[in-house]
Amino acid sequence: MQHRTFSTWLKVTEDCRDTGCLSVQFDLMHSDLLSQFNGRWELRPVEVPGIPGISTASELHQDVLPKGVPPFMKNLPVMGNLLRGVALRAMRRIMEDVQVAVGKQ
């Protein structure tokens, strides 16, 4: 497996004015790999019957386009599925990192 490092700068704005929803807006400032990357992540508390405590529901909306890919390609099913797969793997890694951080507390 080959590893590659790239640089990405995002402008991230948190909005916690609504106590029922933490919203995080992100916009691409610069990237070595992406020509477009912006979106919004919303986190909401939920109560799950039979499970003590509060859980979190998250919803991610994002617009992603790697450099060198023409903009119309993101609307094609094959490219859309490829980008969706990349995003899902990234989200899984983020959630694994969160679980590790929570376990350290």
Side-chain angles (χ1 to χ4, degrees), residues 3 7 18 26 29 36 56 59-60 68 71 75 79 92 98:
H3 294 278
S7 173
D18 178 359
F26 53 93
M29 302 299 287
Q36 191 173 16
T56 303
E59 191 171 328
L60 175 65
N75 297 324
M79 182 58 77
R92 283 189 187 114
V98 168

Side-chain angles (χ1 to χ4, degrees), residues 10-15 23-27 38-41:
L10 296 175
K11 176 183 177 186
V12 178
T13 307
E14 290 184 22
D15 184 357
S23 177
V24 178
Q25 177 82 28
F26 53 93
D27 297 291
N38 55 49
R40 185 179 71 253
W41 195 358

Side-chain angles (χ1 to χ4, degrees), residues 1 3-5 8 10 18 25 29 35 42 44-48 51 54 64-65 67 71-72 80 88 96 100 103 105:
M1 179 183 213
H3 294 278
R4 180 173 176 209
T5 302
T8 300
L10 296 175
D18 178 359
Q25 177 82 28
M29 302 299 287
S35 64
E42 296 176 352
R44 292 184 174 81
V46 293
E47 291 187 37
V48 180
I51 299 176
I54 301 291
V64 180
L65 188 65
K67 280 189 176 177
F72 73 88
L88 285 172
E96 289 168 358
V100 168
Q105 294 181 359

